[in-house]
Amino acid sequence: MAPKGKTSFTLKTPKGTKDWAGPDALLRDNIFSTITNVFKRHGGMALDTPVFELREILAGKYGEDSKLIYDLQDQGGEICSLRYDLTVPFARWLAMNTDIRNIKRYHLAKVYRRDQPAMTKGRMREFYQCDFDIAGAQFDPMVADSEVLKIATEVFDDLGWKGNYTIKINHRKILDGLFEVCGVPQDKIRTISSAVDKLDKLPWEDVRKEMVDEKGLDGAVADNIETYVVRKGGRDLLESLLADEKLTANASAKAGLDDMALLLGYLEDFGVLDKFSFDMSLARGLDYYTGVIYEVITEGSAPATATSAPEAQKLQRQAKKDKKVDADEDRSNDPSVGVGSVAAGGRYDDLVGMFSPKAQIPCVGISFGVDRIFSITKARMQRESKLRNSEVDVYVMAFGGKGFTGLLKERMQICKSLWEAGIKAEFLYKVKPKLPAQFKAAEANLVPFAVILGEDELAAGKVRVKEMGLPDGHPEKEGLLVDIASLTTEIKQRLEKKANESGVPADAPAGEQEDLAQKVKDLL
Amino acid sequence: MAPKGKTSFTLKTPKGTKDWAGPDALLRDNIFSTITNVFKRHGGMALDTPVFELREILAGKYGEDSKLIYDLQDQGGEICSLRYDLTVPFARWLAMNTDIRNIKRYHLAKVYRRDQPAMTKGRMREFYQCDFDIAGAQFDPMVADSEVLKIATEVFDDLGWKGNYTIKINHRKILDGLFEVCGVPQDKIRTISSAVDKLDKLPWEDVRKEMVDEKGLDGAVADNIETYVVRKGGRDLLESLLADEKLTANASAKAGLDDMALLLGYLEDFGVLDKFSFDMSLARGLDYYTGVIYEVITEGSAPATATSAPEAQKLQRQAKKDKKVDADEDRSNDPSVGVGSVAAGGRYDDLVGMFSPKAQIPCVGISFGVDRIFSITKARMQRESKLRNSEVDVYVMAFGGKGFTGLLKERMQICKSLWEAGIKAEFLYKVKPKLPAQFKAAEANLVPFAVILGEDELAAGKVRVKEMGLPDGHPEKEGLLVDIASLTTEIKQRLEKKANESGVPADAPAGEQEDLAQKVKDLL
């Protein structure tokens, strides 16, 4: 680094953080809206908690990962830390509000982890989570769980990923049961479980090695485990497990399998069963899960994309560093793993009770990794369309010949009427703007319409409306004269037409409703 | 506090912070959407910066208030602090992105200040700011400034505050000029300026005392200042100042007055001049303003409102504490001041240059204090309507006699069709729910419609749609049978009708557009 004078600063964001601006911020906001709309459709209540918590609230919740928690400096007063996820704050809120015995809550917010950043893989120190959780004391088994999973399918379908993702599901009680049945000693169950969780990144031989060489498991026990954890499927797998008398004799395994039978039925009722894979190798890292667990995976990785040459060089350097980090952590470079899971969650019935036994309340939830979803969506979009900084509808311009006054007052008033009609509009902050400068500004941000003011037209109560980007020879290439009195109506109609042309998704077609009616009838 | 065991926790949020849930969170989200829509209508680009910055970025920007900055603990690596506002991060971003020479950006996010919290007055340690700023190197004077002020009027009009707020404006160059003219020594200008800023809370005698006794200003100079700073008005005030030859002989004052003349003209063109008060006592605390400054004030205070008896007691204790704090700080208890200003801002042409002289770019912006806006809006709303936890449209229920199966599958499928049509729906997570429990859940959250499933009706392909809360004797009190095939269409129509009845604001009426057309014609 260059030597610094008194007035010079290191102009950067802290390690593992970044600014979000322009098309990236806009795209991410659209992802947020899509997810929030799904959450609201299912009756979710918004909850917002402080970005930092008393340190003792977070203590003992994250096991080894606690070392990644950001602490605030002790400046006198309380000792606080930045939140590590949104689940523990939710549990703390439930424990504080014991009058609430059932609630669906959602929370979109940043969380903080002092992890080794790997920017090109989307691993950051500050990143967004979007959580939906259902807490309820007296619900029947697996009903809320199935709605959480239905929500997951709606989020990815609404994001346009239909047919392009799989939701792996498993059950902690099945896993715990099969480890017991296979002969894993009680005190090794959690550590063997986390070895199994690596099967999506490592071949069985490596995982076996970890179990036997590092964790001291009997080789024969490991081989027993293999016969189960390599299996995946749907109802077929469930039935073969239910037929396994050794397994069903174990109370934990039996309870888990009964839950799975209910769950698969409910997912079928919701019409989404084909999106799920019952995967015996899914174990999930966190300790607090007690029931069904799940992870959403998608095809393809999400390479970070440079928007400028210096950025490209920076990304190359970053990728090199990330590779080193991954080698250190002994991660596989299997490209099919891509950015890993894009959403994950499960049932956690005991977490709230950790704060206060009398506040105990069972919960089930899911967390969407928006930064990963963003990277993948962006990579897919960039092949298709150019991205915009903001979504302005209309650029209001003026032009004139000799003695041109600039028509600033008139541009302001036209903008005012557009704004009042809810139309997004802007104009150049110059008293006498040049026409090319105004067109350049409109084109740079892909503004779809120009409203052009000229003195003669204004005198006749008219302005010119021009659709931008029309090809030469198009009959409306030069725009059309429109009465000022009908300008906002005209613009609205054109914007609507344009939106329809670009194929905004319509509501569920009538045909689908009839199918449902038929189905409901058939059921009776 | 009770003695703590090993598994007991202090269940609270850190001092000066709070959870936002239920109706409060919903109302605040609606305020966010209203503000964001205005920002987008004016072509604002979303910018999101990290919650913490390198400490040196914040250093030297906030004067005495720097002691209120939250620091992160040094855990190895960079030294960081939580952001104190959104303006300095924006300036840092501009200084890092020197290719951007003009931009309108908005940012809604939390900021952090280790201030003495005064919960009942809405003074928190973690609170939201909503900022809109325009940076531009080559704009003509006061055009962007006037759009920022137009935005302020749209935000408060869209929030339903029309006629209920005033925007005070003044100009730093006028203030600096008049202090010079009155004989304030150069090195006392900033401190005398901040004494003047207290005139909205203290009578002139107290401010004069501070100037003379505490700050050592000559009494005659203070009396000169009085003749200016007690004045407020509109064009009349501007004209009397422009006629003041002593004042206009000062270059700074003259430049400020010329700016104000332009600004008042532009505000008139935007049709909002009546909402402004040119107020010579407005000085604003922050050092970095260089041009026009403004503050939005509204009638009435915002008492915190308790939703339960224990909360009421807590608020009383809190109010007592707050009062003590205010006494310590020698603040007035004038109830007309209420929560103070609800938005404020100004022009700051030199801030970006503090990071890097070659990145220099003039800026003007405004910051909306959402927590204060929230408190006032809530106090006004509570007189009118009950607030909801979430905005569910439909509660899907089932009932039946002997041998009732619960119709879970059918409830799930009806919900599925409603969700697919974008309708917000929920159902009870019970296999065999009791009808009263379902009605109770729907009523508790003021859900407007129930869809009721019965076996006989389903066999005929029908369900019952019931509007909740109809008075006894209403012809539709018991609901209407609807074909399942047309259920979503029926619900959508009813929701739309209900929305229209409750008076959703329509777009600008045609009459207003004609007036504009007439005005534009008249101008030519």
Side-chain angles (χ1 to χ4, degrees):
Chain A
M1 207 181 294
K4 289 188 301 173
K6 231 192 151 179
T7 54
S8 115
F9 297 88
T10 312
L11 280 175
K12 64 185 282 293
T13 61
K15 187 176 174 182
T17 71
K18 57 172 281 194
D19 296 321
W20 288 80
D24 283 358
L26 196 58
L27 174 57
R28 198 178 60 168
D29 279 350
N30 288 342
I31 293 172
F32 287 149
S33 309
T34 303
I35 296 177
T36 308
N37 284 342
V38 176
F39 291 170
K40 286 184 176 176
R41 213 150 66 204
H42 288 261
M45 176 204 76
L47 173 69
D48 174 40
T49 64
V51 80
F52 47 80
E53 295 275 348
L54 296 181
R55 196 167 300 163
E56 58 187 351
I57 299 284
L58 304 189
K61 303 300 182 305
Y62 304 106
E64 275 187 21
D65 286 345
S66 294
K67 66 177 188 294
L68 302 181
I69 293 175
Y70 273 99
D71 293 329
L72 290 190
Q73 192 170 304
D74 179 2
Q75 294 172 282
E78 296 162 341
I79 306 298
C80 299
S81 299
L82 297 187
R83 65 181 161 220
Y84 182 84
D85 65 11
L86 304 176
T87 311
V88 168
F90 175 50
R92 189 263 306 146
W93 179 80
L94 283 171
M96 274 173 70
N97 293 275
T98 45
D99 52 320
I100 292 162
R101 297 319 288 165
N102 66 73
I103 194 83
K104 291 179 265 193
R105 90 87 176 74
Y106 68 88
H107 192 182
L108 283 71
K110 289 174 175 176
V111 300
Y112 298 89
R113 299 182 185 181
R114 292 182 57 259
D115 213 340
Q116 194 55 41
M119 309 283 238
T120 53
K121 298 204 165 189
R123 199 180 332 134
M124 301 289 284
R125 291 182 155 197
E126 174 186 63
F127 59 97
Y128 258 98
Q129 285 192 335
C130 299
D131 282 21
F132 187 97
D133 294 78
I134 302 178
Q138 294 175 313
F139 296 147
D140 282 323
M142 308 313 287
V143 187
D145 311 60
S146 68
E147 184 164 335
V148 169
L149 289 167
K150 171 76 168 87
I151 286 171
T153 66
E154 287 183 32
V155 164
F156 290 106
D157 289 351
D158 285 7
L159 286 169
W161 293 26
K162 218 162 190 164
N164 228 336
Y165 65 92
T166 303
I167 307 181
K168 298 201 264 183
I169 44 174
N170 199 7
H171 200 294
R172 270 287 166 85
K173 288 186 182 161
I174 300 177
L175 276 178
D176 290 353
L178 80 83
F179 291 140
E180 281 171 25
V181 169
C182 292
V184 178
Q186 205 61 39
D187 64 334
K188 284 203 164 72
I189 282 187
R190 277 279 75 78
T191 182
I192 293 304
S193 181
S194 59
V196 166
D197 200 45
K198 293 178 185 162
L199 273 174
D200 60 342
K201 301 190 194 79
L202 300 174
W204 167 253
E205 289 66 37
D206 293 6
V207 171
R208 186 185 190 279
K209 211 170 159 185
E210 179 179 330
M211 290 178 175
V212 176
D213 296 357
E214 286 174 37
K215 302 189 164 163
L217 194 69
D218 188 302
V221 174
D223 295 336
N224 278 345
I225 293 173
E226 186 191 6
T227 63
Y228 287 107
V229 298
V230 295
R231 292 157 80 180
K232 55 185 75 172
R235 280 195 189 281
D236 51 331
L237 173 57
L238 177 66
E239 269 148 38
S240 82
L241 292 170
L242 280 169
D244 181 336
E245 286 175 17
K246 222 170 49 182
L247 197 61
T248 52
N250 177 286
S252 171
K254 180 63 168 61
L257 290 169
D258 288 346
D259 272 357
M260 284 303 266
L262 277 176
L263 181 64
L264 296 184
Y266 293 148
L267 293 176
E268 192 161 25
D269 294 338
F270 276 139
V272 294
L273 186 57
D274 59 317
K275 295 165 185 184
F276 289 83
S277 165
F278 181 6
D279 187 326
M280 302 281 289
S281 73
L282 179 71
R284 307 271 304 122
L286 285 169
D287 280 1
Y288 55 61
Y289 291 116
T290 54
V292 64
I293 47 180
Y294 30 83
E295 216 170 87
V296 185
I297 53 165
T298 183
E299 300 269 318
S301 66
T305 330
T307 52
S308 67
E311 204 189 326
Q313 285 165 18
K314 213 172 92 187
L315 283 173
Q316 267 174 10
R317 286 195 303 272
Q318 191 60 53
K320 234 174 180 169
K321 273 196 226 169
D322 292 353
K323 210 166 165 186
K324 194 183 159 301
V325 171
D326 283 348
D328 293 348
E329 294 178 8
D330 197 19
R331 297 202 185 189
S332 112
N333 282 315
D334 181 354
S336 71
V337 175
V339 288
S341 69
V342 285
R347 174 162 284 282
Y348 50 101
D349 284 348
D350 302 332
L351 185 62
V352 179
M354 287 178 75
F355 291 110
S356 152
K358 66 171 200 273
Q360 182 62 288
I361 186 168
C363 301
V364 60
I366 188 162
S367 180
F368 294 86
V370 171
D371 294 280
R372 288 177 170 189
I373 292 170
F374 166 83
S375 305
I376 294 167
T377 309
K378 187 178 171 186
R380 287 178 187 163
M381 278 184 64
Q382 278 181 332
R383 290 171 223 139
E384 288 159 29
S385 62
K386 195 162 172 270
L387 299 162
R388 301 178 63 187
N389 254 327
S390 61
E391 287 171 329
V392 176
D393 300 318
V394 176
Y395 205 102
V396 176
M397 324 182 167
F399 81 101
K402 215 179 132 219
F404 174 53
T405 61
L407 298 173
L408 175 59
K409 186 180 292 206
E410 293 78 5
R411 282 182 285 140
M412 285 176 150
Q413 289 179 335
I414 293 289
C415 274
K416 174 176 184 278
S417 70
L418 293 169
W419 293 329
E420 278 168 359
I423 296 164
K424 304 186 191 84
E426 59 185 353
F427 68 102
L428 196 59
Y429 303 132
K430 298 283 260 189
V431 173
K432 291 188 192 176
K434 296 200 167 64
L435 195 60
Q438 298 172 88
F439 268 108
K440 208 177 135 194
E443 279 160 4
N445 196 25
L446 299 174
V447 178
F449 293 101
V451 168
I452 309 168
L453 280 60
E455 289 181 355
D456 294 345
E457 289 89 343
L458 281 176
K462 289 181 190 295
V463 291
R464 189 171 294 273
V465 173
K466 180 176 150 54
E467 183 167 346
M468 302 286 286
L470 290 180
D472 286 336
H474 189 287
E476 292 191 12
K477 176 76 183 169
E478 297 309 312
L480 287 178
L481 280 178
V482 170
D483 281 342
I484 292 178
S486 57
L487 176 62
T488 57
T489 316
E490 174 76 20
I491 296 279
K492 279 194 169 184
Q493 282 167 357
R494 284 168 169 259
L495 286 170
E496 208 167 307
K497 188 161 159 266
K498 229 179 150 64
N500 289 337
E501 282 168 7
S502 71
V504 166
D507 290 329
E512 203 163 326
Q513 286 177 27
E514 278 158 27
D515 285 352
L516 173 88
Q518 191 53 48
K519 253 190 224 157
V520 172
K521 265 195 204 172
D522 293 346
L523 288 167
L524 294 166
Chain B
M1 208 181 297
K4 288 188 302 171
K6 232 194 149 175
T7 53
S8 113
F9 296 89
T10 311
L11 280 175
K12 64 184 282 292
T13 61
K15 187 176 175 182
T17 71
K18 58 173 280 189
D19 297 320
W20 288 80
D24 283 358
L26 195 59
L27 174 58
R28 200 179 59 169
D29 279 351
N30 287 342
I31 293 172
F32 286 149
S33 309
T34 303
I35 296 177
T36 309
N37 283 342
V38 176
F39 291 170
K40 286 184 175 176
R41 212 149 67 204
H42 288 262
M45 176 202 76
L47 173 68
D48 174 42
T49 64
V51 80
F52 46 81
E53 296 275 346
L54 296 180
R55 196 166 302 164
E56 59 188 351
I57 299 284
L58 305 188
K61 303 300 182 304
Y62 303 107
E64 274 185 24
D65 287 344
S66 294
K67 65 177 186 296
L68 302 181
I69 293 175
Y70 273 99
D71 293 330
L72 290 189
Q73 193 170 304
D74 179 2
Q75 294 171 283
E78 297 162 340
I79 305 298
C80 300
S81 298
L82 297 186
R83 65 181 161 219
Y84 182 84
D85 65 10
L86 304 176
T87 310
V88 167
F90 175 51
R92 189 263 306 146
W93 178 81
L94 283 170
M96 275 172 70
N97 293 275
T98 45
D99 53 320
I100 291 162
R101 296 320 286 164
N102 66 75
I103 194 82
K104 290 179 266 194
R105 91 84 177 76
Y106 68 88
H107 192 181
L108 283 70
K110 289 174 175 177
V111 300
Y112 298 88
R113 299 183 184 181
R114 293 181 57 259
D115 212 339
Q116 193 57 40
M119 309 283 238
T120 52
K121 298 205 165 187
R123 201 185 325 137
M124 300 289 284
R125 289 180 157 200
E126 174 186 63
F127 59 96
Y128 259 98
Q129 286 194 334
C130 299
D131 282 21
F132 187 99
D133 294 78
I134 302 178
Q138 295 175 313
F139 297 147
D140 282 323
M142 308 313 289
V143 186
D145 312 58
S146 68
E147 185 164 336
V148 168
L149 289 167
K150 173 76 168 85
I151 285 171
T153 66
E154 287 183 31
V155 164
F156 290 106
D157 288 352
D158 285 6
L159 286 169
W161 294 23
K162 216 161 191 164
N164 227 336
Y165 65 91
T166 303
I167 306 181
K168 298 201 264 183
I169 44 175
N170 199 5
H171 199 295
R172 270 286 166 88
K173 286 187 183 160
I174 299 177
L175 276 178
D176 290 353
L178 80 83
F179 291 141
E180 282 172 22
V181 169
C182 292
V184 179
Q186 206 61 39
D187 63 335
K188 284 203 164 72
I189 282 187
R190 276 281 73 79
T191 183
I192 293 305
S193 181
S194 57
V196 166
D197 200 43
K198 294 178 186 161
L199 273 175
D200 59 343
K201 302 191 195 78
L202 299 175
W204 166 252
E205 289 65 38
D206 293 6
V207 171
R208 185 184 191 280
K209 211 169 160 186
E210 178 179 331
M211 289 177 174
V212 177
D213 297 356
E214 286 173 39
K215 301 187 166 166
L217 193 70
D218 187 302
V221 173
D223 295 336
N224 277 344
I225 292 173
E226 185 191 6
T227 64
Y228 288 107
V229 296
V230 295
R231 292 157 80 179
K232 55 185 75 173
R235 281 195 189 280
D236 51 333
L237 174 56
L238 177 68
E239 268 148 39
S240 82
L241 292 170
L242 280 169
D244 180 337
E245 284 175 19
K246 220 169 51 179
L247 196 61
T248 52
N250 177 285
S252 170
K254 181 65 169 57
L257 290 169
D258 288 346
D259 273 356
M260 285 302 266
L262 276 176
L263 180 65
L264 295 183
Y266 293 148
L267 292 176
E268 191 160 28
D269 294 338
F270 276 138
V272 293
L273 186 57
D274 58 320
K275 295 163 186 188
F276 289 82
S277 165
F278 180 7
D279 186 327
M280 303 282 288
S281 73
L282 179 72
R284 307 272 303 122
L286 284 169
D287 279 2
Y288 54 61
Y289 291 115
T290 55
V292 63
I293 46 179
Y294 31 83
E295 217 170 88
V296 185
I297 52 166
T298 183
E299 299 270 319
S301 68
T305 330
T307 52
S308 67
E311 205 190 324
Q313 284 165 18
K314 212 173 94 186
L315 283 173
Q316 266 175 10
R317 287 194 302 272
Q318 191 60 52
K320 231 171 181 173
K321 273 196 223 169
D322 291 354
K323 208 168 169 184
K324 193 183 161 299
V325 170
D326 282 351
D328 291 350
E329 294 179 6
D330 197 18
R331 296 200 186 193
S332 114
N333 282 316
D334 181 352
S336 72
V337 174
V339 290
S341 69
V342 285
R347 175 162 284 281
Y348 51 101
D349 285 347
D350 302 331
L351 184 62
V352 180
M354 286 177 75
F355 291 110
S356 153
K358 68 174 198 274
Q360 183 61 286
I361 186 168
C363 300
V364 60
I366 188 161
S367 180
F368 295 86
V370 171
D371 295 279
R372 289 178 171 189
I373 291 170
F374 166 84
S375 304
I376 294 167
T377 309
K378 188 179 170 185
R380 286 178 187 164
M381 277 183 66
Q382 277 179 332
R383 287 172 225 141
E384 288 160 29
S385 62
K386 197 164 170 269
L387 299 162
R388 302 179 60 188
N389 255 326
S390 61
E391 287 172 330
V392 176
D393 301 318
V394 177
Y395 205 101
V396 176
M397 325 181 165
F399 80 104
K402 219 181 129 209
F404 175 52
T405 61
L407 298 174
L408 176 59
K409 187 181 290 207
E410 293 78 4
R411 282 183 285 141
M412 285 176 149
Q413 289 179 335
I414 293 290
C415 274
K416 175 177 182 279
S417 70
L418 293 170
W419 293 330
E420 278 168 358
I423 296 164
K424 304 186 191 85
E426 58 184 352
F427 67 102
L428 196 59
Y429 302 132
K430 298 282 258 185
V431 173
K432 291 187 192 176
K434 295 199 168 62
L435 195 60
Q438 298 172 86
F439 267 109
K440 206 178 138 195
E443 280 160 3
N445 196 24
L446 299 174
V447 178
F449 293 101
V451 168
I452 308 169
L453 277 61
E455 289 182 355
D456 295 345
E457 289 90 343
L458 280 175
K462 290 182 188 297
V463 291
R464 190 171 292 275
V465 173
K466 179 176 150 55
E467 182 167 348
M468 303 284 287
L470 289 180
D472 285 336
H474 190 285
E476 291 192 14
K477 176 76 183 169
E478 296 309 312
L480 288 178
L481 280 179
V482 170
D483 281 343
I484 292 178
S486 56
L487 176 63
T488 57
T489 317
E490 174 75 21
I491 296 277
K492 280 194 170 183
Q493 281 167 358
R494 282 167 170 261
L495 286 170
E496 207 166 309
K497 190 161 157 267
K498 228 178 150 62
N500 289 337
E501 283 169 8
S502 73
V504 165
D507 291 330
E512 202 162 327
Q513 288 176 26
E514 279 159 26
D515 287 350
L516 174 88
Q518 191 53 48
K519 252 189 224 159
V520 172
K521 265 195 200 169
D522 293 345
L523 288 167
L524 293 166

